[in-house]
Amino acid sequence: MRVVILGCGRMGSVMAKQLSDEGHDVTVIDQDPNAFRRLKDFNGKMVLGNGLDPDVLKRAGIEDADSFVAVTNGDNRNITSVQIAKEIFNVPKVLARIYDPMRASAYEELGIPTLCTTMIGAGLMVDFLLGKEWGEVSRYCDFQVD
């Protein structure tokens, strides 16, 4: 599988390393050259640049990607880059990490796959505090936020 990951922070670097170690073709994009220091013994490709720039995405191989994941620290950047990957480059599988639960559900309704780490983390912690068994991830994504 060819994967492009936008964001080489904690999550992006761990994902990149795991996927690469499993034999997948992985490219990581980040605009901070120091971020790539997290990728020790990484067999993939690293692209320096803004993941909203179509030329940077092309350098990363977006045109041949099977999947695109955006895990920067900015919800807007993640959503926009996923839209670009999906709508312009026709990447079959896209996912945006979102922190804001209200945004996550709104974008899901628009057909943009999101994973709200805030909702998942909160659900797991509440279950732990209440002594409940941890559920599947989808259980924590169904929270209603008003």
Side-chain angles (χ1 to χ4, degrees), residues 5 7-24 26-28 38-44:
I5 299 172
C8 193
R10 291 174 192 97
M11 183 175 283
S13 61
V14 169
M15 288 176 56
K17 185 80 170 85
Q18 286 179 348
L19 288 165
S20 177
D21 287 350
E22 290 182 17
H24 299 284
V26 181
T27 301
V28 181
R38 292 182 169 102
L39 293 176
K40 297 202 186 327
D41 301 320
F42 174 63
N43 295 321

Side-chain angles (χ1 to χ4, degrees), residues 117-130 132-135 139-141 143:
T117 53
T118 303
M119 290 171 32
I120 294 167
L124 289 168
M125 288 181 176
V126 167
D127 281 355
F128 176 80
L129 292 173
L130 298 177
K132 294 182 180 179
E133 291 288 321
W134 285 353
R139 179 172 126 203
Y140 304 113
C141 294
F143 288 160

Side-chain angles (χ1 to χ4, degrees), residues 29-102:
I29 304 169
D30 204 292
Q31 53 191 7
D32 178 3
N34 294 320
F36 297 119
R37 74 183 188 289
R38 292 182 169 102
L39 293 176
K40 297 202 186 327
D41 301 320
F42 174 63
N43 295 321
K45 182 178 174 184
M46 296 170 270
V47 174
L48 182 64
N50 182 342
L52 298 177
D53 182 337
D55 291 331
V56 170
L57 291 168
K58 287 178 185 177
R59 275 194 289 130
I62 193 83
E63 294 169 307
D64 298 317
D66 299 303
S67 57
F68 177 84
V69 180
V71 290
T72 72
N73 62 0
D75 284 2
N76 290 337
R77 188 175 315 128
N78 291 345
I79 286 295
T80 303
S81 63
V82 163
Q83 285 177 307
I84 292 168
K86 182 178 178 180
E87 307 284 326
I88 295 174
F89 293 106
N90 300 310
V91 177
K93 187 178 265 189
V94 298
L95 182 64
R97 185 224 358 234
I98 302 295
Y99 292 110
D100 183 343
M102 290 179 8

